[in-house]
Amino acid sequence: MSLDLPPVDEARLAAEWEADKSVLANLAANGDVARIARPVDVSFKGSEKDFKRVLTIASQFGFIELDREEDEDGDLFLFLECVQPVDEQSIRALTKKCLQIEILCGVEYDGWGCEVRSGQVH
């Protein structure tokens, strides 16, 4: 299945990048080596029905489902994972892809996270 990915609002992408830079700075301050590929999780807020479509689309980009949770307000969250480096270029591409999934599926992208990786690049 081939997808026509929608354009992403540049202002939204810029706002997400501001948040991403903060996460990357925190990782770097803790000794992270950004070019080391590692599991990176992303989350989306939505409904079970929307999550089925998210999984169909996201799996084409190498994402796997990690978990689903309901917060104290009753909002549902889907957590996905992919393996990649967390350098600037890779995170910009990840965020854009997640915003495109958001548009296609009617969910709300809720950000990404990962553990610090230091040491040798394999």
Side-chain angles (χ1 to χ4, degrees):
M1 173 167 122
S2 177
L3 286 176
D4 287 327
L5 296 174
V8 173
D9 177 68
E10 290 300 321
R12 174 74 191 284
L13 192 57
E16 290 292 337
W17 178 240
E18 287 305 310
D20 291 345
K21 287 193 299 189
S22 174
V23 174
L24 291 173
N26 187 41
L27 288 167
N30 286 290
D32 188 68
V33 178
R35 66 185 182 278
I36 298 175
R38 86 285 307 269
V40 176
D41 62 272
V42 299
S43 60
F44 294 93
K45 183 171 92 172
S47 70
E48 288 294 337
K49 178 180 164 234
D50 296 331
F51 292 164
K52 287 181 182 173
R53 183 154 165 78
V54 170
L55 288 170
T56 299
I57 292 169
S59 67
Q60 296 178 56
F61 302 115
F63 290 98
I64 59 167
E65 182 175 355
L66 279 181
D67 197 11
R68 295 176 193 217
E69 292 180 8
E70 184 175 334
D71 70 9
E72 61 277 354
D73 297 325
D75 292 324
L76 298 175
F77 290 86
L78 172 65
F79 295 88
L80 304 176
E81 180 181 87
C82 64
V83 175
Q84 68 168 64
V86 295
D87 58 273
E88 180 178 325
Q89 181 180 345
S90 298
I91 292 302
R92 283 182 182 267
L94 174 73
T95 298
K96 182 176 181 180
K97 190 76 60 196
C98 288
L99 292 174
Q100 290 169 318
I101 291 170
E102 175 185 89
I103 293 165
L104 287 169
C105 300
V107 294
E108 181 182 330
Y109 172 57
D110 194 47
W112 65 275
C114 68
E115 293 184 5
V116 170
R117 291 286 195 261
S118 57
Q120 297 294 325
V121 177
H122 299 288

